[in-house]
Amino acid sequence: MKRAYPGSGGSGPNSSNNSGGGFKQPNRLATQRQSLPIANVRREIVEAVQKNQTLVLLSDTGSGKSTQIPQYLYEDGVGEGKMIGITQPRRVAAITVAKRVAQEQECSVGDVVGYAVRFEDVTSANTQIKYLTDGILFREALSDQLLKKYNIIVLDEAHERTIATDVLFGIVKKAQQTRRKMLVPLKVIVMSATMDVDHFSQYFNKCPVMHLQGSNFKVKVYQSMDNTNYLEAVITTIFQIHENCNDDGDILVFLTGQEEIEAATALVRRLAKAINHRDLPRMLVVPMYGAMSQNSQQDPFALAPPFTRKVVLATNIAETSITIPAIKYVVDSGKVKVRTFDPVTGIDSLKVTWISKAQAWQRTGRAGRTADGECYRTYSKEDFKAMAATSTPEILRCSVVSSTLQLLALGINCRDFDFLDKPPADALTSAMQELKALGAIMSVDQPALTTLGRKMSKLPLDPKYAKILLSATDHGCLEEALTIVAMLSGENVFYNTSQKREQVLTAHAKFHAKCGDHVTLLNVFNEFKTKDEPKRWCHDNFLLERNLSHAAAVRTQLANICRSLGLPPTSCGNDPVPIVKCLLTGLYRNIAELQRDNSYLTLANRTRCRIHPASVIHGRARPGYLLFTELVSTGTNYLRTISEIEPEWVGEVVPHCTFLDRITCGGNRGSSSCYSEVAQGGRTA
């Protein structure tokens, strides 16, 4: 099916206008630095930073602000010998930009230029330019509220407005105010491509705003004329570009999440083989999403071999900061996966929704980073007009439990904190109530961390997962809990393809645990760690090695933290009961009860839902009660990553549960319990 894109004086993928052959090699780094738009105003930028304690810098995509401004300040000595910290909302951006700047500084990563992301710190005593995620700087503030290691903090991509970024604004502002009384003040630079500059300027005491020139390259935008399935539209557009635009341009495609990207990657690779033609470049298809291993995350940045077009299928992590070389074409699905939180029920849900206009323009700008480009939007002009102007900040739509815990660890009551945009009152109350239920604080009205709460704040996890680890010793299953929490902290490890459906099901069935998905994940990881050739084993068993390797690295870091907290290693062996009871200590609000129509009803908020088809419990006799990790809404509400529980466990493990009276012990049982085998001495895993 051909996609129709009415142009604006340019040629779309159905055009026969080609710009000529040859896949160009990149210019030398020094030449590229001088050619960036920001190089023309280097002196003005440095002088503005020297003159002001706080500066808001607004610049279009492609100006070079993320890589160049920290180098200008370092090279001109503005940091006065202390580190320049540059925050990024995502680990991929922090790592990639740090590596690029290290190349430009002609040093190894970890020397003058380094980075720190969750579970990975590549810095040294020599590091002067440090890229880090906003979450890492937040955690550094726990031990150093004045951020004395830094004389300059650059808050990059401020428009993304993650919860960690919003909280950082307040922490950095407070540190700056305190350090004004000291000999070495803290300079703050807020940078973005799109944001409400007046809002930011007012928050930072009416600080000056500096507008910088953006990319020198033009991007032609084409809007779809019909509204069909966006995935189908994306695939069609990729091949129209590939077949009709025979030049040196690579393609960047925006999709919503890992599973969607993995499925699309397999499909595009298969179709590319089917249409392989000697007059067309080969097609190299590369996925890109946050949960990939560090090595895999660098694949999109490698130049394609000669006579090869690279197609990068990415989530919104490719919207900002990072520059993928040789991208000339962008295909924008107009969709993003967004997490929302219901403070009344305390349940997170994940939904695919429309992006904002600001995001649409950010994606469009990806096509104009290194040359003139083209953006193909698989949605109509009417769809674009209906989009919100900007995205709703995370702090106004997501749970603030983690941030509340971290602020309390700093001795700050979130109700008194100087937020750029204060979270809804019911969200703050819900956060306090959840922390009290988890045992992190004694009182909602006068919150102060308990001993348990202070330990929870040491773990770089959602509080409910921190509670699971800290409860694991009591249940005798810390080794198993570490593995499961590490697996839940990453992305899906199962590779699914419709082409080999029977083989996939047979391979995955070897790991299935009767009690559910959590112990199934444990089985997969335990088997993975025994293999001498893990990549080959993962390939043969349709598992994603990069995600399992990531989980292994996370588990190691969490085990080290637990050791530092004095938690003795314990294991429950083959008995799944202690594991699921331990999970219940943190996920107690995530219980669903079987209904007569074979659907489930969540007990916390009475939401009707079904078992996700990917669950090992799907298609079996339905248990009376389930413990689920998350609720995903894709038109239908699905329970994901679930385990069967016995109803009497709730009163035993979490007697404070507010909906305990809704649980009928022995009632609503859809099948005989899988745990009866354990009682008889059998194995369920």
Side-chain angles (χ1 to χ4, degrees), residues 232-299:
E232 178 184 320
V234 162
I235 302 299
T236 302
T237 303
I238 290 171
F239 284 97
Q240 286 180 204
I241 294 171
H242 186 58
E243 293 176 19
N244 295 292
C245 301
N246 190 23
D247 57 17
D248 61 349
D250 292 342
I251 305 171
L252 173 62
V253 183
F254 285 99
L255 294 172
T256 65
Q258 178 190 345
E259 290 184 16
E260 186 174 271
I261 286 173
E262 293 286 357
T265 297
L267 176 58
V268 174
R269 285 173 177 167
R270 188 171 71 252
L271 293 175
K273 287 182 181 179
I275 65 161
N276 190 23
H277 193 281
R278 65 181 182 179
D279 294 332
L280 291 175
R282 289 182 293 272
M283 187 179 285
L284 175 65
V285 187
V286 183
M288 184 180 185
Y289 47 84
M292 296 172 67
S293 68
Q294 182 183 328
N295 289 337
S296 297
Q297 285 175 347
Q298 301 311 306
D299 292 344

Side-chain angles (χ1 to χ4, degrees), residues 7-11 220 222:
S8 54
S11 57
K220 294 176 182 176
Y222 302 92

Side-chain angles (χ1 to χ4, degrees), residues 322-583:
I322 55 179
T323 297
I324 302 174
I327 294 295
K328 182 175 180 179
Y329 304 100
V330 164
V331 181
D332 180 13
S333 66
K335 299 290 187 177
V336 67
K337 192 174 286 186
V338 173
R339 187 172 296 279
T340 57
F341 175 73
D342 184 343
V344 176
T345 63
I347 291 182
D348 273 310
S349 61
L350 205 56
K351 296 182 180 180
V352 174
T353 185
W354 285 106
I355 59 175
S356 65
K357 287 178 178 145
Q359 283 179 285
W361 288 117
Q362 280 287 103
R363 293 181 175 189
T364 298
R366 298 293 97 187
R369 293 302 295 263
T370 56
D372 290 346
E374 297 173 0
C375 176
Y376 297 89
R377 295 172 174 171
T378 62
Y379 46 92
S380 67
K381 289 183 178 179
E382 289 70 28
D383 290 331
F384 178 76
K385 290 177 182 177
M387 290 176 178
T390 58
S391 304
T392 303
E394 270 192 2
I395 206 158
L396 300 182
R397 59 175 169 80
C398 292
S399 170
V400 293
V401 176
S402 293
S403 299
T404 301
L405 177 64
Q406 300 301 334
L407 286 173
L408 289 171
L410 289 171
I412 300 170
N413 188 331
C414 62
R415 294 191 179 98
D416 305 322
F417 188 66
D418 185 11
F419 287 103
L420 176 62
D421 288 300
K422 197 173 185 68
D426 56 350
L428 293 175
T429 300
S430 174
M432 292 292 191
Q433 290 172 340
E434 180 168 347
L435 289 176
K436 184 178 184 301
L438 290 171
I441 60 176
M442 292 295 294
S443 167
V444 170
D445 297 326
Q446 297 293 327
L449 289 183
T450 61
T451 301
L452 175 63
R454 198 153 295 280
K455 287 182 178 180
M456 288 169 64
S457 72
K458 302 290 185 184
L459 288 158
L461 295 167
D462 185 293
K464 60 178 175 282
Y465 292 138
K467 176 62 179 290
I468 289 170
L469 291 186
L470 294 171
S471 301
T473 300
D474 295 335
H475 291 275
C477 61
L478 179 59
E479 294 299 314
E480 292 78 13
L482 280 167
T483 298
I484 293 172
V485 168
M487 294 281 272
L488 294 177
S489 297
E491 294 285 341
N492 178 37
V493 300
F494 295 103
Y495 175 69
N496 291 290
T497 172
S498 58
Q499 296 303 302
K500 300 179 180 180
R501 185 64 178 163
E502 291 302 320
Q503 290 177 256
V504 170
L505 292 175
T506 300
H508 290 173
K510 294 182 294 187
F511 310 107
H512 287 181
K514 290 184 179 180
C515 58
D517 302 316
H518 296 101
V519 177
T520 295
L521 290 174
L522 176 66
N523 293 342
V524 171
F525 184 88
N526 287 343
E527 192 72 17
F528 168 73
K529 293 300 292 181
T530 66
K531 302 305 173 186
D532 294 329
E533 298 183 35
K535 286 188 177 181
R536 181 174 180 178
W537 179 79
C538 286
H539 178 271
D540 293 343
N541 287 278
F542 300 95
L543 299 168
L544 297 171
E545 187 271 338
R546 54 178 166 264
N547 292 355
L548 279 163
S549 295
H550 174 70
V554 170
R555 189 191 187 283
T556 298
Q557 294 293 327
L558 292 176
N560 290 337
I561 297 172
C562 288
R563 193 176 302 114
S564 71
L565 293 174
L567 300 182
T570 55
S571 174
C572 60
N574 294 324
D575 185 359
V577 174
I579 299 171
V580 181
K581 284 185 176 181
C582 181
L583 291 171

Side-chain angles (χ1 to χ4, degrees), residues 125-146:
N126 295 331
T127 301
Q128 294 291 298
I129 301 174
K130 180 179 177 181
Y131 287 87
L132 65 170
T133 56
D134 37 23
I136 291 295
L137 186 59
F138 188 179
R139 296 196 69 81
E140 286 187 10
L142 290 175
S143 56
D144 178 18
Q145 293 191 41
L146 296 182

Side-chain angles (χ1 to χ4, degrees), residues 616-634:
V616 303
I617 293 179
H618 184 266
R620 292 180 3 199
R622 293 170 178 79
Y625 290 91
L626 293 175
L627 183 72
F628 62 93
T629 301
E630 65 178 348
L631 182 68
V632 179
S633 180
T634 56

Side-chain angles (χ1 to χ4, degrees), residues 101-252:
V101 173
Q103 287 180 328
E104 294 180 357
Q105 287 291 317
E106 298 182 347
C107 70
S108 301
V109 181
D111 189 20
V112 172
V113 182
Y115 68 83
V117 297
R118 191 170 76 145
F119 305 122
E120 188 175 6
D121 187 340
V122 186
T123 60
S124 68
N126 295 331
T127 301
Q128 294 291 298
I129 301 174
K130 180 179 177 181
Y131 287 87
L132 65 170
T133 56
D134 37 23
I136 291 295
L137 186 59
F138 188 179
R139 296 196 69 81
E140 286 187 10
L142 290 175
S143 56
D144 178 18
Q145 293 191 41
L146 296 182
L147 302 171
K148 294 186 291 292
K149 291 191 296 187
Y150 307 93
N151 279 352
I152 301 174
I153 295 289
V154 181
L155 302 168
D156 198 8
E157 306 299 351
H159 69 278
E160 292 244 345
R161 300 291 303 277
T162 65
I163 291 178
T165 302
D166 269 31
V167 175
L168 262 187
F169 290 148
I171 290 174
V172 170
K173 181 179 177 181
K174 183 178 179 181
Q176 186 184 49
Q177 290 170 344
T178 304
R179 283 178 55 170
R180 283 198 181 110
K181 306 168 187 176
M182 303 169 65
L183 292 176
V184 183
L186 176 66
K187 290 184 178 292
V188 177
I189 304 170
V190 183
M191 301 199 309
S192 179
T194 58
M195 66 177 176
D196 183 351
V197 291
D198 292 336
H199 191 34
F200 280 83
S201 177
Q202 288 290 330
Y203 179 73
F204 285 102
N205 305 310
K206 299 182 180 179
C207 70
V209 177
M210 190 173 185
H211 293 264
L212 305 177
Q213 180 184 0
S215 172
N216 291 324
F217 304 108
K218 297 179 181 178
V219 180
K220 294 176 182 176
V221 178
Y222 302 92
Q223 304 267 176
S224 176
M225 294 180 66
D226 50 14
N227 293 308
T228 54
N229 178 281
Y230 74 88
L231 280 174
E232 178 184 320
V234 162
I235 302 299
T236 302
T237 303
I238 290 171
F239 284 97
Q240 286 180 204
I241 294 171
H242 186 58
E243 293 176 19
N244 295 292
C245 301
N246 190 23
D247 57 17
D248 61 349
D250 292 342
I251 305 171
L252 173 62

